[in-house]
Amino acid sequence: MAGLFHPTSLGDLDLTNRIVMAPMTRSRADERRVINPSASEYYAARADAGLIISEGINVGPMSNAFDRTSGLWSDAQTEGWRAIVDRVHDKGGRIVAQLWHGGRASARGLLYDKQPLSPSGVNDDLDRLQVWALLANGAYVRVSATTSRAMTLGEIRVAVEEFKLAAANAVRAGFDGVEIHGANGYLIHQFLSPTINQRTDEYGRSVEGRSRLLLEIVAEICDVMPRSRIGLRLSPFADYNSTRDPNPAFTYGRLAHWLQTAGLAYLHLADTNAWTGAPDYERMLPIFREHYRGPLIVNAGITPERAADIVNSGEADAVAFGRLFLANPDLPARIRAGGPYNSPKPFGIYGGSDAGYLDYPSLESVAQEVAEEG
């Protein structure tokens, strides 16, 4: 496991180890989408990660695939995140904000009774979109997606500016950088897909047109922070939210050419289908490595042992862990010790009380309990 504990740099982000905390959706904000104060304890407990990537943070009011997810467009939201970032920094950690727009994966009830926005108003698969809401009784349930409509050019411009404002607020909150969420069937991923993006203007027609939204977002964020502090998450083969790209190798091979010269801090490849036992890691990696030799984080339900092999072989610079980090706040210490590992609890993952959120035992506390029982 030694390779996982070697320091590295992703652009201007200096990591003390190569164990990254993956972004994980959390529905722990209030009605103003201000992050819950309990989150400061949650993130601070995981500050030993080489890098923490925050939960998805909405860039504007029209982004909300999951009820009670936090935002980063208002002063109150920014101050809420500042308290969390300060706690992480006080413990010597590094954290970037994942900037998120849900696009068509939403419902009117989550968008102030407005219709969800999408590249082209494709609505033949609403039953496959993942939209979740909090009921009055505290239960968190999946709800029906609402038909979306095609964005106007003006609305596309607004979305680009929302990403820029959220990045500027991330700087104000003290984040070490941002990660643009271009994966999992959300707005940027929707624009990249020739199935979901059927536009005939400059934001469609070709790979270059479908990539234009992403490139404009990157360019605007560069006005408020260096490229070397901007990461990008992609999931070329993801079935999640039904993006349905018939030729991901073509789409993302062209993107990889651009990434090689873009100067971003890192590329974060997510094998989202590994969640359901159908991993695509082995066919995803070559698409990018053929053209892109920059800093790379991979995330695919990877075990610590496999992560060590990936880093030692040079396949990637770091490995992101999701569920394992959720259940094991002290994951780096547990990896170094060879386990044991807590398993995620079946409740509290997305929202609710602090149960299933702040109550996972540390390795030290488990060892102490065993010693006392012995």
Side-chain angles (χ1 to χ4, degrees):
M1 301 290 184
L4 289 174
F5 293 92
H6 288 164
T8 192
S9 295
L10 307 177
D12 283 342
L13 302 170
D14 295 328
L15 281 58
T16 57
N17 61 61
R18 295 156 187 256
I19 301 166
V20 174
M21 178 173 159
M24 292 176 279
T25 304
R26 292 290 171 267
S27 297
R28 296 181 176 274
D30 65 18
E31 65 279 0
R32 300 172 300 156
R33 305 206 207 169
V34 175
I35 189 70
N36 190 312
S38 294
S40 63
E41 184 176 342
Y42 170 80
Y43 282 104
R46 293 158 176 80
D48 286 341
L51 180 68
I52 293 172
I53 305 171
S54 81
E55 62 206 66
I57 306 176
N58 294 294
V59 298
M62 288 301 292
S63 168
N64 208 17
F66 285 60
D67 193 14
R68 298 288 176 142
T69 46
S70 67
L72 200 51
W73 68 85
S74 74
D75 290 342
Q77 293 163 354
T78 303
E79 288 305 309
W81 275 107
R82 183 197 299 274
I84 293 166
V85 173
D86 286 348
R87 284 286 305 279
V88 171
H89 286 166
D90 287 346
K91 295 193 68 174
R94 294 288 179 268
I95 181 170
V96 298
Q98 190 191 62
L99 306 184
W100 178 30
H101 193 306
R104 75 189 190 113
S106 193
R108 296 184 74 107
L110 303 183
L111 299 176
Y112 312 99
D113 201 31
K114 294 181 179 178
Q115 195 172 8
L117 301 177
S118 67
S120 305
V122 173
N123 293 300
D124 64 338
D125 58 348
L126 295 183
D127 61 320
R128 297 189 61 191
L129 303 187
Q130 295 285 330
V131 185
W132 292 75
L134 183 69
L135 298 182
N137 65 3
Y140 210 72
V141 299
R142 186 176 174 186
V143 298
S144 297
T146 300
T147 55
S148 65
R149 63 173 178 81
M151 298 172 76
T152 66
L153 291 176
E155 287 168 333
I156 291 175
R157 190 67 226 163
V158 167
V160 172
E161 290 297 326
E162 286 176 334
F163 274 91
K164 180 179 181 179
L165 175 60
N169 285 338
V171 173
R172 290 175 53 207
F175 280 101
D176 298 289
V178 299
E179 177 178 284
I180 299 169
H181 196 346
N184 294 8
Y186 296 118
L187 186 68
I188 293 171
H189 195 180
Q190 293 162 24
F191 267 84
L192 291 172
S193 167
T195 303
I196 307 303
N197 182 353
Q198 299 176 8
R199 300 180 72 95
T200 58
D201 60 14
E202 61 266 41
Y203 290 94
R205 296 194 301 261
S206 64
V207 172
E208 289 73 22
R210 298 195 305 273
S211 303
R212 181 169 178 159
L213 174 67
L214 170 60
L215 271 59
E216 288 185 354
I217 288 169
V218 170
E220 289 296 321
I221 292 177
C222 285
D223 284 347
V224 299
M225 71 172 56
R227 288 176 179 265
S228 53
R229 290 187 175 270
I230 302 170
L232 171 63
R233 192 179 210 225
L234 298 173
S235 58
F237 293 94
D239 289 331
Y240 191 80
N241 282 322
S242 188
T243 314
R244 295 175 288 166
D245 188 330
N247 192 354
F250 178 70
T251 300
Y252 290 90
R254 300 291 287 271
L255 259 185
H257 274 289
W258 169 75
L259 282 165
Q260 179 61 24
T261 60
L264 301 185
Y266 64 83
L267 169 64
H268 182 185
L269 287 181
D271 182 5
T272 306
N273 293 341
W275 299 351
T276 56
D280 292 301
Y281 179 84
E282 297 300 333
R283 62 176 179 151
M284 178 173 65
L285 195 65
I287 293 174
F288 290 88
R289 276 313 194 199
E290 182 178 351
H291 310 290
Y292 172 77
R293 302 306 303 175
L296 178 64
I297 301 171
V298 293
N299 170 232
I302 297 168
T303 65
E305 293 75 18
R306 175 69 177 117
D309 291 340
I310 287 171
V311 168
N312 290 336
S313 69
E315 283 182 36
D317 299 274
V319 176
F321 298 90
R323 290 175 176 83
L324 208 54
F325 238 131
L326 164 68
N328 298 275
D330 53 352
L331 183 60
R334 288 178 182 266
I335 290 176
R336 192 184 287 277
Y341 301 103
N342 301 321
S343 296
K345 299 178 180 179
F347 58 86
I349 291 178
Y350 294 105
S353 69
D354 289 345
Y357 187 57
L358 300 182
D359 56 355
Y360 286 100
S362 67
L363 187 61
E364 182 179 353
S365 67
V366 171
Q368 182 177 350
E369 183 177 321
V370 170
E372 290 173 352
E373 291 176 354

